[in-house]
Amino acid sequence: LRKEADSLVTPLTIKKYPRCLLCNRPTQVGHHHIKKSESNRLRYYEDNFIPLCVLCHCALHCHETIYSNRIVKVKGQNWHDELIKKKQEYIKVDRFYYEEAITRLTKCLNPKQE
C-alpha cells in the first residue's frame, strides 16, 4: 500500500504544478520538502510536495541546504513554519493510513471519479 500511495505523489504534483518551482521548466518530480523518513504526517501532505524538474531535483540532493533555503524563500517562512509544526504531529501508520492516503490522493488526481 505504501508503494501505491507513494506512486501518486509525482503525478499529482505534476497535475497541480506543471512548472518547476525553481527554474520554471516542466515539473517531473514531486519532491518532499520535509523528508518522508522524518515525518509520516507529511508524507502525503500536499503542501509538502515541491514541483521540480529533474535537473533541480538532482541539484537539490547535491546541495540540499542551498536549494532548501531557495524553496523556503519562494514558498515563504510561514509555509515552512506550518510544515515544521505538522511534522511534530503523531500519526498512526497502518493499513488504514495508506488506504486513506490512496483514496485522497486519487480523488485529487481524478476529481470526477467517485
Side-chain angles (χ1 to χ4, degrees):
L1 288 174
R2 181 175 72 187
K3 197 175 200 177
E4 183 179 350
D6 285 351
S7 74
L8 296 169
V9 171
T10 290
L12 178 59
T13 304
I14 291 170
K15 181 178 180 180
K16 289 187 78 169
Y17 309 100
R19 308 306 291 180
C20 176
L21 183 73
L22 299 176
C23 74
N24 208 34
R25 288 187 193 102
T27 297
Q28 297 168 296
V29 178
H31 173 75
H32 291 80
H33 183 68
I34 304 292
K35 296 175 185 175
K36 295 180 283 190
S37 62
E38 292 181 11
S39 174
N40 286 317
R41 171 65 176 90
L42 297 176
R43 187 178 190 112
Y44 304 113
Y45 184 64
E46 288 181 57
D47 280 351
N48 191 37
F49 304 162
I50 305 300
L52 297 174
C53 68
V54 171
L55 293 174
C56 288
H57 191 238
C58 289
L60 183 147
H61 282 288
C62 289
H63 307 284
E64 199 160 336
T65 303
I66 293 168
Y67 282 88
S68 291
N69 288 339
R70 284 184 62 197
I71 289 168
V72 172
K73 189 173 183 176
V74 171
K75 299 283 282 177
Q77 190 63 47
N78 289 340
W79 164 82
H80 187 258
D81 293 345
E82 286 299 313
L83 285 182
I84 296 301
K85 277 186 207 174
K86 289 194 179 302
K87 178 183 173 182
Q88 306 306 318
E89 295 174 8
Y90 172 77
I91 191 162
K92 183 178 179 180
V93 178
D94 57 13
R95 176 174 60 95
F96 301 108
Y97 164 77
Y98 291 112
E99 288 173 348
E100 185 279 328
I102 291 165
T103 299
R104 181 173 38 81
L105 295 173
T106 300
K107 281 183 182 177
C108 290
L109 196 54
N110 306 304
K112 294 180 182 179
Q113 292 182 352
E114 287 298 315

